[in-house]
Short mmCIF file of all heavy atoms in Angstrom, two decimals:
data_model
loop_
_atom_site.label_atom_id
_atom_site.label_comp_id
_atom_site.label_asym_id
_atom_site.label_seq_id
_atom_site.Cartn_x
_atom_site.Cartn_y
_atom_site.Cartn_z
N VAL A 1415 -4.61 -6.58 -41.58
CA VAL A 1415 -4.85 -5.16 -41.24
C VAL A 1415 -5.81 -5.03 -40.03
O VAL A 1415 -5.44 -4.16 -39.07
CB VAL A 1415 -5.45 -4.36 -42.48
CG1 VAL A 1415 -5.86 -2.99 -42.03
CG2 VAL A 1415 -4.33 -4.19 -43.46
N PRO A 1416 -6.93 -5.74 -39.95
CA PRO A 1416 -7.74 -5.63 -38.73
C PRO A 1416 -7.01 -6.04 -37.41
O PRO A 1416 -7.16 -5.40 -36.41
CB PRO A 1416 -8.91 -6.56 -38.96
CG PRO A 1416 -8.97 -6.58 -40.46
CD PRO A 1416 -7.60 -6.53 -40.96
N LEU A 1417 -6.10 -7.15 -37.51
CA LEU A 1417 -5.42 -7.53 -36.33
C LEU A 1417 -4.30 -6.50 -36.01
O LEU A 1417 -3.93 -6.34 -34.80
CB LEU A 1417 -4.79 -8.86 -36.61
CG LEU A 1417 -5.80 -10.02 -36.63
CD1 LEU A 1417 -5.07 -11.33 -37.04
CD2 LEU A 1417 -6.53 -10.27 -35.41
N ALA A 1418 -3.80 -5.81 -36.98
CA ALA A 1418 -2.66 -4.88 -36.75
C ALA A 1418 -3.22 -3.45 -36.54
O ALA A 1418 -2.41 -2.54 -36.53
CB ALA A 1418 -1.65 -4.85 -37.93
N ARG A 1419 -4.50 -3.34 -36.34
CA ARG A 1419 -5.14 -1.98 -36.26
C ARG A 1419 -4.41 -1.11 -35.15
O ARG A 1419 -4.18 0.08 -35.37
CB ARG A 1419 -6.58 -2.12 -36.07
CG ARG A 1419 -7.30 -0.84 -36.01
CD ARG A 1419 -8.86 -1.04 -35.99
NE ARG A 1419 -9.62 0.20 -35.95
CZ ARG A 1419 -10.05 0.74 -34.75
NH1 ARG A 1419 -9.79 0.09 -33.62
NH2 ARG A 1419 -10.67 1.83 -34.72
N PRO A 1420 -4.24 -1.64 -33.95
CA PRO A 1420 -3.59 -0.76 -32.92
C PRO A 1420 -2.25 -0.22 -33.37
O PRO A 1420 -1.93 1.00 -33.12
CB PRO A 1420 -3.48 -1.70 -31.69
CG PRO A 1420 -4.54 -2.70 -31.93
CD PRO A 1420 -4.53 -2.93 -33.42
N SER A 1421 -1.40 -1.11 -33.88
CA SER A 1421 -0.10 -0.62 -34.34
C SER A 1421 -0.18 0.42 -35.49
O SER A 1421 0.63 1.30 -35.54
CB SER A 1421 0.80 -1.83 -34.75
OG SER A 1421 0.25 -2.50 -35.88
N LEU A 1422 -1.06 0.17 -36.42
CA LEU A 1422 -1.31 1.13 -37.51
C LEU A 1422 -1.79 2.47 -37.05
O LEU A 1422 -1.35 3.47 -37.56
CB LEU A 1422 -2.26 0.52 -38.56
CG LEU A 1422 -1.82 -0.73 -39.27
CD1 LEU A 1422 -2.91 -1.30 -40.19
CD2 LEU A 1422 -0.49 -0.37 -40.14
N ILE A 1423 -2.64 2.47 -36.02
CA ILE A 1423 -3.14 3.76 -35.43
C ILE A 1423 -1.98 4.51 -34.78
O ILE A 1423 -1.84 5.72 -34.86
CB ILE A 1423 -4.30 3.60 -34.52
CG1 ILE A 1423 -5.55 3.04 -35.33
CG2 ILE A 1423 -4.64 4.77 -33.76
CD1 ILE A 1423 -6.75 2.75 -34.44
N ALA A 1424 -1.16 3.75 -34.05
CA ALA A 1424 0.01 4.29 -33.33
C ALA A 1424 0.97 4.98 -34.47
O ALA A 1424 1.43 6.06 -34.19
CB ALA A 1424 0.75 3.26 -32.52
N ILE A 1425 1.19 4.20 -35.47
CA ILE A 1425 2.03 4.77 -36.57
C ILE A 1425 1.40 6.02 -37.23
O ILE A 1425 2.11 6.97 -37.51
CB ILE A 1425 2.29 3.67 -37.66
CG1 ILE A 1425 3.22 2.70 -37.10
CG2 ILE A 1425 2.67 4.27 -38.95
CD1 ILE A 1425 3.48 1.48 -37.98
N ALA A 1426 0.10 6.04 -37.36
CA ALA A 1426 -0.62 7.14 -37.90
C ALA A 1426 -0.43 8.37 -37.04
O ALA A 1426 -0.19 9.46 -37.55
CB ALA A 1426 -2.09 6.86 -38.09
N VAL A 1427 -0.57 8.19 -35.74
CA VAL A 1427 -0.35 9.28 -34.86
C VAL A 1427 1.13 9.87 -34.94
O VAL A 1427 1.31 11.06 -34.97
CB VAL A 1427 -0.67 8.91 -33.41
CG1 VAL A 1427 -0.30 9.96 -32.32
CG2 VAL A 1427 -2.07 8.50 -33.25
N PHE A 1428 2.06 8.95 -34.88
CA PHE A 1428 3.44 9.40 -35.00
C PHE A 1428 3.73 10.07 -36.31
O PHE A 1428 4.51 11.06 -36.35
CB PHE A 1428 4.39 8.25 -34.86
CG PHE A 1428 4.37 7.58 -33.50
CD1 PHE A 1428 4.42 6.17 -33.26
CD2 PHE A 1428 4.38 8.39 -32.36
CE1 PHE A 1428 4.48 5.62 -32.01
CE2 PHE A 1428 4.38 7.90 -31.12
CZ PHE A 1428 4.38 6.53 -30.88
#
Side-chain angles (χ1 to χ4, degrees):
V1415 169
L1417 291 175
R1419 184 171 177 266
S1421 64
L1422 292 176
I1423 291 178
I1425 284 174
V1427 173
F1428 290 141

